[in-house]
Amino acid sequence: MREGANGRRIRVRGQVQGVGFRPFVWQLARRLGIEGTVSNDAEGVLILARGAEVAAFEAALAAEAPPLARVDAVEGAPAEVTGAGFDIIASGGPGAETRVTPDAATCADCVAEVQGAGRRAGYAFTNCTNCGPRFTILTGLPYDRAQTTMAPFEMCAACRAEYEDPADRRFHAQPVACPDCGPRVWLERDGVELPGAWLGQAVEALTRGEILAVKGLGGFHLCCDATRSEAVALLRSRKRRPGKPLALMADAAVLARHVAPTEADWALLRDAAAPIVLIAGRGGLPEVVAPGQERLGWMLPYTPLHHLLCAAMDRPLVMTSGNLSGAPQVIGNGEARDKLSGFADAFLMHDRDIARRLDDSVERADPPMVLRRARGRVPGTLPLPKGFAPRQVVAYGGQMKAAICLVKNGQALLGHHLGELDEALTWEAFVQADRDYARLFDHAPEAVAVDLHPDFRATRHGRNRAEAQALPLIEVQHHHAHLAACMGENLWPRQGGKVAGIVLDGLGLGSDGTVWGGELLLGDYDGFERRGWLAPVRLVGGDLAQKEPWRNAVMQLDAAGLGDLADRLFADQPLGMLRMAAARGLNAPLSSSAGRLFDAVAAVLGICPGGQSYEGEAAMRLETLAAGAEDADAYPFGTADGALSPVPMWQALTRDLAAGTEAGVIARRFHAGLAQVFAGAARGLVESGQAGAVALSGGCFQNALLLRLTTTALEGLPVLTHRTTPANDGGLAFGQALVALARLESD
């Protein structure tokens, strides 16, 4: 300690604002007899402390932090500390160096109040420092009530007393409110508010089989009774969503009556993020909830409004995004009346504005993976691996499952799921999110990273920004970005050496101008070599090849010399035109896509050959079919000069079809064969010393069976997988940002 210094100046960095960190520090200081002050500022939490137990005090800041806090660093230095007692002082000036807290599900204490008899009994906006809205109501930094959508609601004397008491769990809980001073809920029909109690009215409507538009935390849901097949079918018809699985919400007791979650499932369901969790078992619910799927997406109620509704209904509810399929979720009351009136019979409204739309996150506990990163996870940040300089970069991801990534101060903020950018309203949401993140986090990039594909809207957007601001534009090959994202999530060091990347997805522009999608790469953040690939076939019809699996099946069978089987299976399709286009190369690029190979196998087995009602439907149904079968011998694949040929697989599959082998066994053998041929090639790179580990990335690895079979085939090797970032294109921007940082440092 320098001469004259009698205390410590302590900086706490991380997710430490809006989580009750200052009252925690105040209580800790009182317990240990520490004098000084604590405040929020642009860099996190700043503490001045002195006392005999100051060392223990400093150590406890991370060890005993509040439930929602994420402490990245505690930095202490000698300092002169004056004054008596320990005080919480006002926040410092504006700035965006600290982390913003994601929205958090209602805590047990607040649920008890809502279900109890006190002044917040039945109140739909009960919250405290351990729960409630954060990012969805935030309009600026630092995180204070005046910079949230709670600003119009002036606190009553009782709420103000809680807010100002450091010993109260509502101390500086910015959304604190009660029925006397906070937002309110009502039910309306045809734009007219109905008199009376909203909860009873909502229950009556749902019990009659009606569809409700329910305003939640990050947007509206469309809700109906999940046990009534006619209500679910009506919702599907109105929303034009014929087959895509619908999310379900129920309280823990009701959920347990329908399915049997594992301990890992329960842990994820009860996480503060409250994601949709994929759980095995249909639980007696109608097939129309999730046609052809064995796993259903469940979530627990995560706001008091949801808790009240679920408890009153005492049965599972469909709770799906309030939008037309493909369009962004609706967030405003007027917007809901305008856009959802054709879907909903009534509207469950409230008057607290939503600052930004956030879909529900979708996750799986085993094997663990985030499939859609959104509410509850964003804007949580990811640490960068060792060796990266703390520079600022923005990356714009791809065309599908769009998400933006900002890098600043050694952290990556991977933004929320936005959707497919060919949808006009999603594009508007993308542009708005770009402005929103840049403003909210005071971000000034040194470079812009984009996908190699020149026609992706995200790529054009990034190019325009780079030109307008005279910034370097860094183009990143699609599958290299996938590889880098997986390496980065696993904190593979900047100088950690090369990794063998098995990257399996739908499509991405390759560096040779063809369409890639079934790749074995050897690379690091700086670059890559293509060491293996699925033997390419023609994708005839452009986007139609992704929507109509029969097209891929015909091209695969023709390439395997099995055109006669294609003629029999797809006799009702325009085979002559398809083959003519393929022969002439008309809108028929060569592709090594693993996703389209899945579609082809599904089509041969009769799974939606003529068309998919949503992206990935054929592959998801094929996985469900395979998962229900016993382990079976893997189909063989050929290997020659880097090309991994499915011709032997098709020949064996054809023999199984002729022998009457069960479709589930065929599907299982295909999964096993694909896993083994790629795992074998990757193993060779590791065992020869060319790679230090194997990374598994790309949307096909959302397939839990394929992921398990591949990791089993790689047993004994270091394997990197996605857990907290999506393996699909939702994680692409993170990988692009890491590649961009590496190139900036290499220049």
Side-chain angles (χ1 to χ4, degrees):
M1 188 176 293
R2 71 173 187 268
E3 185 177 352
N6 65 343
R8 301 280 288 173
R9 184 183 189 275
I10 304 169
R11 159 74 60 206
V12 186
R13 302 184 188 276
Q15 185 173 293
V16 290
Q17 292 188 11
V19 295
F21 205 88
R22 288 181 301 164
F24 153 70
V25 172
W26 180 83
Q27 292 172 18
L28 181 64
R30 287 171 63 90
R31 190 179 88 207
L32 296 178
I34 301 296
E35 296 180 317
T37 61
V38 59
S39 62
N40 284 341
D41 66 9
E43 295 183 54
V45 167
L46 179 63
I47 304 166
L48 296 177
R50 70 178 180 193
E53 298 294 327
V54 71
F57 170 80
E58 189 169 340
L61 293 172
E64 301 179 24
L68 298 182
R70 300 291 182 270
V71 176
D72 291 338
V74 178
E75 303 163 354
E80 184 69 27
V81 179
T82 59
F86 194 92
D87 297 318
I88 297 173
I89 59 177
S91 297
E97 302 302 315
T98 191
R99 188 182 306 175
V100 178
T101 309
D103 302 273
T106 308
C107 69
D109 289 336
C110 285
V111 171
E113 281 187 271
V114 172
Q115 296 175 346
R119 70 189 190 95
R120 289 190 174 90
Y123 185 54
F125 301 92
T126 301
N127 66 87
C128 68
T129 53
N130 296 322
C131 69
R134 271 31 175 212
F135 193 47
T136 51
I137 63 170
L138 184 69
T139 58
L141 289 175
Y143 175 63
D144 284 322
R145 191 181 182 98
Q147 307 219 67
T148 73
T149 59
M150 285 297 297
F153 300 96
E154 185 175 352
M155 281 182 267
C156 65
C159 286
R160 173 64 64 181
E162 294 169 329
Y163 181 84
E164 294 177 349
D165 181 1
D168 194 284
R169 79 174 200 279
R170 292 193 168 89
F171 176 76
H172 280 216
Q174 305 307 333
V176 64
C178 74
D180 293 334
C181 64
R184 68 183 189 90
V185 183
W186 67 91
L187 191 82
E188 66 177 56
R189 291 180 184 272
D190 301 319
V192 178
E193 179 180 342
L194 302 182
W198 65 267
L199 183 57
Q201 295 167 341
V203 169
E204 288 177 10
L206 290 170
T207 303
R208 286 194 301 266
E210 293 186 352
I211 312 300
L212 290 189
V214 179
K215 188 176 185 181
L217 205 57
F220 277 79
H221 287 109
L222 292 172
C223 175
C224 69
D225 181 349
T227 67
R228 296 176 61 118
S229 57
E230 66 276 14
V232 181
L234 177 63
L235 173 57
R236 284 198 177 280
S237 174
R238 290 179 178 177
K239 196 178 177 183
R240 301 176 202 169
R241 185 173 174 170
K244 193 172 184 180
L246 298 169
L248 300 165
M249 179 180 282
D251 62 31
V254 170
L255 192 155
R257 293 205 301 261
H258 287 268
V259 287
T262 65
E263 288 187 14
D265 291 333
W266 278 121
L268 198 51
L269 285 163
R270 290 170 172 149
D271 188 274
I276 297 169
V277 180
L278 300 183
I279 300 175
R282 296 199 58 85
L285 293 176
E287 174 71 10
V288 70
V289 169
Q293 300 302 316
E294 188 271 338
R295 286 179 175 267
L296 303 184
W298 292 86
M299 56 182 158
L300 296 178
Y302 55 82
T303 72
L305 186 153
H306 292 133
H307 276 281
L308 290 164
L309 190 60
C310 287
M313 284 296 295
D314 195 35
R315 68 190 69 179
L317 300 174
V318 166
M319 200 70 72
T320 188
S321 296
N323 59 350
L324 183 64
S325 286
Q329 189 176 18
V330 168
I331 61 172
N333 291 357
E335 182 187 17
R337 296 181 186 108
D338 180 47
K339 294 180 178 178
L340 300 182
S341 59
F343 306 157
D345 298 299
F347 291 77
L348 198 53
M349 297 287 209
H350 63 71
D351 57 353
R352 183 179 69 200
D353 288 342
I354 298 172
R356 60 189 51 78
R357 70 187 84 233
L358 286 180
D359 282 304
D360 297 307
S361 292
V362 181
E363 306 185 15
R364 186 182 62 222
D366 181 27
M369 183 175 288
V370 171
L371 306 175
R372 184 170 74 193
R373 182 179 166 90
R375 178 198 49 77
R377 299 298 183 197
V378 177
T381 60
L382 305 162
L384 298 189
K386 290 181 180 178
F388 283 98
R391 305 176 74 161
Q392 294 194 39
V393 165
V394 63
Y396 286 117
Q399 183 78 0
M400 310 285 282
K401 298 177 177 60
I404 297 168
C405 184
L406 283 65
V407 174
K408 183 178 181 180
N409 294 338
Q411 298 279 327
L413 191 158
L414 178 59
H416 60 285
H417 167 86
L418 290 159
E420 328 313 334
L421 296 186
D422 53 1
E423 160 63 48
L425 294 175
T426 304
W427 173 245
E428 291 179 13
F430 177 91
V431 174
Q432 179 183 344
D434 187 30
R435 291 193 300 263
D436 188 28
Y437 280 123
R439 176 186 61 82
L440 200 54
F441 297 96
D442 192 23
H443 195 259
E446 302 172 50
V448 176
V450 296
D451 191 90
L452 191 62
H453 200 302
D455 295 329
F456 281 178
R457 299 188 79 168
T459 299
R460 295 200 300 267
H461 177 78
R463 183 185 300 114
N464 291 340
R465 181 175 183 185
E467 290 175 357
Q469 299 182 11
L471 297 172
L473 180 71
I474 298 174
E475 296 178 327
V476 184
Q477 197 279 323
H478 191 90
H479 301 91
H480 186 203
H482 274 305
L483 171 61
C486 187
M487 294 167 62
E489 178 184 335
N490 287 274
L491 299 177
W492 189 263
R494 169 84 168 79
Q495 303 298 334
K498 295 183 177 180
V499 167
I502 301 175
V503 188
L504 307 180
D505 66 356
L507 58 88
L509 181 63
S511 51
D512 62 357
T514 65
V515 179
W516 293 4
E519 312 303 317
L520 174 63
L521 307 181
L522 177 64
D524 53 19
Y525 300 107
D526 292 274
F528 70 95
E529 304 169 58
R530 192 187 191 204
R531 289 299 190 88
W533 55 90
L534 284 174
V537 298
R538 296 282 178 185
L539 283 181
V540 185
D543 288 346
L544 285 177
Q546 299 180 62
K547 296 176 181 177
E548 300 177 356
W550 72 270
R551 294 171 175 266
N552 305 295
V554 172
M555 289 295 95
Q556 287 284 348
L557 291 172
D558 282 2
L562 298 167
D564 56 337
L565 177 60
D567 292 341
R568 294 197 304 273
L569 290 175
F570 309 110
D572 57 341
Q573 300 293 349
L575 300 180
M577 293 180 61
L578 183 85
R579 286 167 170 152
M580 182 182 298
R584 295 179 179 179
L586 299 175
N587 195 19
L590 285 170
S591 174
S592 59
S593 170
R596 302 293 78 79
L597 181 60
F598 269 91
D599 290 349
V601 174
V604 168
L605 295 180
I607 300 172
C608 48
Q612 304 186 76
S613 66
Y614 60 92
E615 185 204 0
E617 179 180 11
M620 290 172 64
R621 287 177 176 247
L622 188 69
E623 178 192 359
T624 298
L625 195 63
E630 299 286 338
D631 282 334
D633 292 339
Y635 282 139
F637 279 70
T639 58
D641 300 323
L644 308 178
S645 172
V647 169
M649 183 275 295
W650 284 114
Q651 293 169 342
L653 187 153
T654 301
R655 290 192 294 271
D656 275 353
L657 279 177
T661 303
E662 290 183 7
V665 173
I666 293 174
R668 185 88 179 199
R669 295 189 70 189
F670 163 67
H671 278 76
L674 187 66
Q676 289 186 19
V677 70
F678 272 99
R683 180 180 288 276
L685 293 176
V686 176
E687 292 180 345
S688 66
Q690 298 176 74
V694 181
L696 309 180
S697 191
C700 291
F701 280 115
Q702 293 178 123
N703 180 320
L705 177 61
L706 180 67
L707 181 58
R708 286 195 184 98
L709 290 170
T710 307
T711 53
T712 298
L714 293 167
E715 189 173 358
L717 301 182
V719 178
L720 314 179
T721 62
H722 290 270
R723 296 175 305 281
T724 60
T725 62
N728 60 39
D729 284 6
L732 202 65
F734 178 46
Q736 291 173 348
L738 292 170
V739 171
L741 285 172
R743 291 189 191 170
L744 285 175
E745 293 168 26
S746 298
D747 291 344

PDB file of all heavy atoms in Angstrom, residues 124-125 183-187 193 198 305 348-351:
ATOM      1  N   ALA A 124     -49.590  -8.389 -11.844  1.00  0.00           N
ATOM      2  CA  ALA A 124     -48.884  -8.986 -12.984  1.00  0.00           C
ATOM      3  C   ALA A 124     -47.523  -8.368 -13.278  1.00  0.00           C
ATOM      4  O   ALA A 124     -46.854  -8.788 -14.220  1.00  0.00           O
ATOM      5  CB  ALA A 124     -49.759  -8.889 -14.234  1.00  0.00           C
ATOM      6  N   PHE A 125     -47.084  -7.382 -12.476  1.00  0.00           N
ATOM      7  CA  PHE A 125     -45.789  -6.742 -12.739  1.00  0.00           C
ATOM      8  C   PHE A 125     -44.909  -6.736 -11.499  1.00  0.00           C
ATOM      9  O   PHE A 125     -44.040  -5.879 -11.334  1.00  0.00           O
ATOM     10  CB  PHE A 125     -46.003  -5.313 -13.262  1.00  0.00           C
ATOM     11  CG  PHE A 125     -46.811  -5.292 -14.528  1.00  0.00           C
ATOM     12  CD1 PHE A 125     -48.189  -5.151 -14.478  1.00  0.00           C
ATOM     13  CD2 PHE A 125     -46.207  -5.466 -15.756  1.00  0.00           C
ATOM     14  CE1 PHE A 125     -48.954  -5.163 -15.631  1.00  0.00           C
ATOM     15  CE2 PHE A 125     -46.958  -5.485 -16.915  1.00  0.00           C
ATOM     16  CZ  PHE A 125     -48.336  -5.334 -16.856  1.00  0.00           C
ATOM     17  N   PRO A 183     -47.884  -0.439 -14.061  1.00  0.00           N
ATOM     18  CA  PRO A 183     -48.668  -0.823 -15.234  1.00  0.00           C
ATOM     19  C   PRO A 183     -49.865  -1.685 -14.856  1.00  0.00           C
ATOM     20  O   PRO A 183     -49.921  -2.258 -13.768  1.00  0.00           O
ATOM     21  CB  PRO A 183     -47.661  -1.633 -16.070  1.00  0.00           C
ATOM     22  CG  PRO A 183     -46.316  -1.242 -15.555  1.00  0.00           C
ATOM     23  CD  PRO A 183     -46.506  -0.936 -14.108  1.00  0.00           C
ATOM     24  N   ARG A 184     -50.802  -1.780 -15.776  1.00  0.00           N
ATOM     25  CA  ARG A 184     -51.992  -2.580 -15.528  1.00  0.00           C
ATOM     26  C   ARG A 184     -52.277  -3.465 -16.742  1.00  0.00           C
ATOM     27  O   ARG A 184     -51.785  -3.234 -17.846  1.00  0.00           O
ATOM     28  CB  ARG A 184     -53.199  -1.695 -15.226  1.00  0.00           C
ATOM     29  CG  ARG A 184     -53.668  -0.876 -16.413  1.00  0.00           C
ATOM     30  CD  ARG A 184     -54.824   0.054 -16.065  1.00  0.00           C
ATOM     31  NE  ARG A 184     -55.391   0.679 -17.272  1.00  0.00           N
ATOM     32  CZ  ARG A 184     -56.386   0.161 -17.985  1.00  0.00           C
ATOM     33  NH1 ARG A 184     -56.964  -0.979 -17.599  1.00  0.00           N
ATOM     34  NH2 ARG A 184     -56.832   0.760 -19.068  1.00  0.00           N
ATOM     35  N   VAL A 185     -53.118  -4.486 -16.538  1.00  0.00           N
ATOM     36  CA  VAL A 185     -53.507  -5.448 -17.571  1.00  0.00           C
ATOM     37  C   VAL A 185     -55.001  -5.314 -17.831  1.00  0.00           C
ATOM     38  O   VAL A 185     -55.777  -5.015 -16.921  1.00  0.00           O
ATOM     39  CB  VAL A 185     -53.199  -6.893 -17.112  1.00  0.00           C
ATOM     40  CG1 VAL A 185     -53.524  -7.894 -18.223  1.00  0.00           C
ATOM     41  CG2 VAL A 185     -51.752  -7.030 -16.688  1.00  0.00           C
ATOM     42  N   TRP A 186     -55.403  -5.551 -19.103  1.00  0.00           N
ATOM     43  CA  TRP A 186     -56.821  -5.616 -19.420  1.00  0.00           C
ATOM     44  C   TRP A 186     -57.035  -6.561 -20.599  1.00  0.00           C
ATOM     45  O   TRP A 186     -56.099  -6.895 -21.334  1.00  0.00           O
ATOM     46  CB  TRP A 186     -57.378  -4.232 -19.745  1.00  0.00           C
ATOM     47  CG  TRP A 186     -56.845  -3.626 -21.020  1.00  0.00           C
ATOM     48  CD1 TRP A 186     -57.371  -3.735 -22.279  1.00  0.00           C
ATOM     49  CD2 TRP A 186     -55.666  -2.817 -21.154  1.00  0.00           C
ATOM     50  NE1 TRP A 186     -56.602  -3.051 -23.188  1.00  0.00           N
ATOM     51  CE2 TRP A 186     -55.555  -2.475 -22.529  1.00  0.00           C
ATOM     52  CE3 TRP A 186     -54.710  -2.346 -20.254  1.00  0.00           C
ATOM     53  CZ2 TRP A 186     -54.514  -1.686 -23.013  1.00  0.00           C
ATOM     54  CZ3 TRP A 186     -53.673  -1.564 -20.736  1.00  0.00           C
ATOM     55  CH2 TRP A 186     -53.578  -1.239 -22.099  1.00  0.00           C
ATOM     56  N   LEU A 187     -58.256  -7.010 -20.758  1.00  0.00           N
ATOM     57  CA  LEU A 187     -58.637  -7.823 -21.914  1.00  0.00           C
ATOM     58  C   LEU A 187     -59.512  -6.975 -22.823  1.00  0.00           C
ATOM     59  O   LEU A 187     -60.400  -6.262 -22.345  1.00  0.00           O
ATOM     60  CB  LEU A 187     -59.403  -9.076 -21.480  1.00  0.00           C
ATOM     61  CG  LEU A 187     -59.605 -10.107 -22.599  1.00  0.00           C
ATOM     62  CD1 LEU A 187     -58.354 -10.962 -22.741  1.00  0.00           C
ATOM     63  CD2 LEU A 187     -60.803 -11.015 -22.315  1.00  0.00           C
ATOM     64  N   GLU A 193     -61.820  -2.220 -24.512  1.00  0.00           N
ATOM     65  CA  GLU A 193     -61.485  -2.851 -23.235  1.00  0.00           C
ATOM     66  C   GLU A 193     -62.752  -3.366 -22.570  1.00  0.00           C
ATOM     67  O   GLU A 193     -63.760  -2.657 -22.473  1.00  0.00           O
ATOM     68  CB  GLU A 193     -60.783  -1.850 -22.324  1.00  0.00           C
ATOM     69  CG  GLU A 193     -60.410  -2.412 -20.974  1.00  0.00           C
ATOM     70  CD  GLU A 193     -59.702  -1.401 -20.081  1.00  0.00           C
ATOM     71  OE1 GLU A 193     -59.202  -0.380 -20.611  1.00  0.00           O
ATOM     72  OE2 GLU A 193     -59.655  -1.632 -18.848  1.00  0.00           O
ATOM     73  N   TRP A 198     -59.543  -9.222 -15.626  1.00  0.00           N
ATOM     74  CA  TRP A 198     -58.951  -9.740 -16.866  1.00  0.00           C
ATOM     75  C   TRP A 198     -58.667 -11.238 -16.799  1.00  0.00           C
ATOM     76  O   TRP A 198     -58.823 -11.950 -17.801  1.00  0.00           O
ATOM     77  CB  TRP A 198     -57.664  -8.992 -17.197  1.00  0.00           C
ATOM     78  CG  TRP A 198     -56.538  -9.177 -16.196  1.00  0.00           C
ATOM     79  CD1 TRP A 198     -56.252  -8.386 -15.124  1.00  0.00           C
ATOM     80  CD2 TRP A 198     -55.560 -10.226 -16.190  1.00  0.00           C
ATOM     81  NE1 TRP A 198     -55.159  -8.864 -14.439  1.00  0.00           N
ATOM     82  CE2 TRP A 198     -54.709  -9.995 -15.079  1.00  0.00           C
ATOM     83  CE3 TRP A 198     -55.313 -11.323 -16.992  1.00  0.00           C
ATOM     84  CZ2 TRP A 198     -53.633 -10.832 -14.759  1.00  0.00           C
ATOM     85  CZ3 TRP A 198     -54.241 -12.160 -16.689  1.00  0.00           C
ATOM     86  CH2 TRP A 198     -53.415 -11.912 -15.585  1.00  0.00           C
ATOM     87  N   LEU A 305     -47.672 -12.345 -14.944  1.00  0.00           N
ATOM     88  CA  LEU A 305     -48.858 -12.513 -15.778  1.00  0.00           C
ATOM     89  C   LEU A 305     -48.965 -13.969 -16.243  1.00  0.00           C
ATOM     90  O   LEU A 305     -50.036 -14.580 -16.185  1.00  0.00           O
ATOM     91  CB  LEU A 305     -48.789 -11.564 -16.977  1.00  0.00           C
ATOM     92  CG  LEU A 305     -50.013 -11.485 -17.894  1.00  0.00           C
ATOM     93  CD1 LEU A 305     -50.074 -10.114 -18.580  1.00  0.00           C
ATOM     94  CD2 LEU A 305     -50.006 -12.573 -18.964  1.00  0.00           C
ATOM     95  N   LEU A 348     -54.916  -9.797 -24.596  1.00  0.00           N
ATOM     96  CA  LEU A 348     -54.542  -9.556 -23.204  1.00  0.00           C
ATOM     97  C   LEU A 348     -53.431  -8.518 -23.230  1.00  0.00           C
ATOM     98  O   LEU A 348     -52.278  -8.820 -23.542  1.00  0.00           O
ATOM     99  CB  LEU A 348     -54.089 -10.859 -22.557  1.00  0.00           C
ATOM    100  CG  LEU A 348     -54.065 -10.917 -21.026  1.00  0.00           C
ATOM    101  CD1 LEU A 348     -55.409 -10.511 -20.426  1.00  0.00           C
ATOM    102  CD2 LEU A 348     -53.674 -12.305 -20.564  1.00  0.00           C
ATOM    103  N   MET A 349     -53.784  -7.288 -22.928  1.00  0.00           N
ATOM    104  CA  MET A 349     -52.903  -6.139 -23.106  1.00  0.00           C
ATOM    105  C   MET A 349     -52.351  -5.640 -21.776  1.00  0.00           C
ATOM    106  O   MET A 349     -52.944  -5.861 -20.720  1.00  0.00           O
ATOM    107  CB  MET A 349     -53.667  -4.983 -23.760  1.00  0.00           C
ATOM    108  CG  MET A 349     -54.183  -5.254 -25.148  1.00  0.00           C
ATOM    109  SD  MET A 349     -52.849  -5.262 -26.363  1.00  0.00           S
ATOM    110  CE  MET A 349     -53.764  -4.727 -27.811  1.00  0.00           C
ATOM    111  N   HIS A 350     -51.249  -4.908 -21.839  1.00  0.00           N
ATOM    112  CA  HIS A 350     -50.819  -4.090 -20.707  1.00  0.00           C
ATOM    113  C   HIS A 350     -50.191  -2.813 -21.248  1.00  0.00           C
ATOM    114  O   HIS A 350     -49.953  -2.680 -22.457  1.00  0.00           O
ATOM    115  CB  HIS A 350     -49.892  -4.855 -19.757  1.00  0.00           C
ATOM    116  CG  HIS A 350     -48.582  -5.308 -20.329  1.00  0.00           C
ATOM    117  ND1 HIS A 350     -47.557  -4.444 -20.641  1.00  0.00           N
ATOM    118  CD2 HIS A 350     -48.117  -6.553 -20.618  1.00  0.00           C
ATOM    119  CE1 HIS A 350     -46.519  -5.124 -21.087  1.00  0.00           C
ATOM    120  NE2 HIS A 350     -46.830  -6.410 -21.100  1.00  0.00           N
ATOM    121  N   ASP A 351     -49.920  -1.850 -20.367  1.00  0.00           N
ATOM    122  CA  ASP A 351     -49.486  -0.527 -20.811  1.00  0.00           C
ATOM    123  C   ASP A 351     -48.028  -0.220 -20.495  1.00  0.00           C
ATOM    124  O   ASP A 351     -47.627   0.951 -20.486  1.00  0.00           O
ATOM    125  CB  ASP A 351     -50.393   0.564 -20.229  1.00  0.00           C
ATOM    126  CG  ASP A 351     -50.468   0.546 -18.709  1.00  0.00           C
ATOM    127  OD1 ASP A 351     -49.927  -0.394 -18.090  1.00  0.00           O
ATOM    128  OD2 ASP A 351     -51.080   1.468 -18.133  1.00  0.00           O
TER     129      ASP A 351
END
